[in-house]
Each structure stands twice: as structure tokens, then as C-alpha cells.
């Protein structure tokens, strides 16, 4: 039985006769407490050896910023805005807007460098709806990303243009049972 589990080339790359296309997945809901299922997916994929980036655009409070990612295991980097608070309004101070823009620029840069195979953009829809990240920039980013990179977009009230380019949409609803 042990011989069946052994692999001679554990770290070898998979050579397929066709390219693997990355997907755009959307997780949306009318409420904001569904991140656990997305994070579970990210942790599972990272645990299998795939490099994963989780970006939380509207979360702050720990003065982290993209310069100081939290590393969960060997393959999952988790970054937030370098803000003393979480963003819950479109009315921000100039330093807060700059911090969010720095995070967005950093995210695009590392994706285009091919550093990650899965990128989670948490609460991106709210950042768009608050006019903090232009929707057209997000659409251009999705179009220009390396073809093998999977992107997960989360947040309530996801813009229709992003739903239109998504390969998979998961809408989480509450069930109302008596």
C-alpha cells in the first residue's frame, strides 16, 4: 500500500497537452458574512501547493498593508489595506484612498507577474460601488490577467458587468424555514 502512495516526482510540473484556463468566480450575497466558504477554498488550494493571494480591500485595523502580508502556511499570502479601521462608507480621507489605491496597484502587479495561481479579491464589489476602484479598471484587469490565474470576486451587489464576465456565480441566500 505504501508503494501506491509514493510519488517519484512530487514537485514535478504537470505537462498537459492543452492550456488550463483560469476561471473568474463570483461569490455574492445581500449580506456580508459568507467569506468563510471562500477562505476555506483558498486554504484548501494553498494546502495542495498552489500559490494563493487573498486581498481584503475594505478591511483594516491591523496596519498591515501590502508591505506586510500575513502568510498562512507556505502558499497563502493575505493582505489588507494599511488602515487603522475597516471601510464602511464611501467617504474616506485622502490617506485612506491612497492606501486602497496602493493595495489595488500592488494586487495588479503581483497578478501580472504570475506570482499566484488563485487570487481572492474580497469585497471588491463594495469598493467599486463606493467609487474607490473604477469598475472599468477591474474589467481590464480581468481581461489582461495571465490566462491560468483563477480569480474569486466577493461582495454584495456585484456589478452586472462583472457578473457577465464570470465563469461561475455563487449567490448565497438565507433560507427562511418556519
Amino acid at each position: 500500500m505504501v508503494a501506491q502512495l509514493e510519488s517519484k516526482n512530487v514537485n514535478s510540473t504537470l505537462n498537459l497537452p492543452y492550456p488550463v484556463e483560469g476561471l473568474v468566480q463570483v461569490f455574492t450575497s445581500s449580506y456580508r458574512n459568507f467569506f468563510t466558504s471562500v477562505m476555506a477554498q483558498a486554504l484548501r488550494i494553498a494546502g495542495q501547493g498552489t500559490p494563493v493571494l487573498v486581498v481584503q480591500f475594505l478591511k483594516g485595523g491591523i496596519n498591515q498593508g501590502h508591505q506586510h502580508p500575513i502568510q498562512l502556511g507556505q502558499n497563502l499570502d493575505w493582505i489588507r489595506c494599511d488602515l487603522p479601521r475597516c471601510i464602511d462608507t464611501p467617504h474616506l480621507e485622502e490617506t485612506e484612498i491612497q492606501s486602497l489605491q496602493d493595495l489595488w496597484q500592488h494586487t495588479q502587479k503581483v497578478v501580472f507577474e504570475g506570482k499566484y495561481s488563485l487570487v481572492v479579491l474580497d469585497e471588491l464589489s463594495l469598493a467599486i460601488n463606493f467609487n474607490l476602484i473604477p469598475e472599468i479598471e477591474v474589467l481590464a484587469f480581468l481581461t489582461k490577467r495571465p490566462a491560468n490565474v483563477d480569480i474569486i470576486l466577493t461582495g454584495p451587489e456585484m456589478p452586472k458587468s462583472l457578473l457577465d464576465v464570470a465563469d461561475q456565480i455563487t449567490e448565497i441566500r438565507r433560507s427562511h424555514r418556519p
Side-chain angles (χ1 to χ4, degrees), residues 139-150:
L139 289 167
F141 163 75
L142 293 174
T143 302
K144 294 177 188 174
R145 79 183 196 284
N148 66 311
V149 176
D150 288 315

Side-chain angles (χ1 to χ4, degrees), residues 117-162:
S117 295
L118 170 63
V119 178
V120 177
L121 305 177
D122 185 43
E123 294 187 338
L124 182 67
S125 66
L126 288 175
I128 292 169
N129 293 334
F130 286 168
N131 293 315
L132 301 171
I133 296 176
E135 186 175 334
I136 193 141
E137 282 186 24
V138 175
L139 289 167
F141 163 75
L142 293 174
T143 302
K144 294 177 188 174
R145 79 183 196 284
N148 66 311
V149 176
D150 288 315
I151 303 286
I152 297 178
L153 311 173
T154 76
E157 301 174 15
M158 190 66 65
K160 183 178 180 333
S161 63
L162 296 180

Side-chain angles (χ1 to χ4, degrees), residues 56 59-70 78-83 99 102-103 106:
Q56 291 189 294
K59 299 287 192 258
I62 58 175
N63 294 322
Q64 180 189 16
H66 65 273
Q67 304 91 341
H68 307 288
I70 295 172
W78 185 357
I79 55 177
R80 293 177 160 192
C81 270
D82 186 15
L83 298 173
S99 179
D102 290 347
L103 182 58
H106 172 77

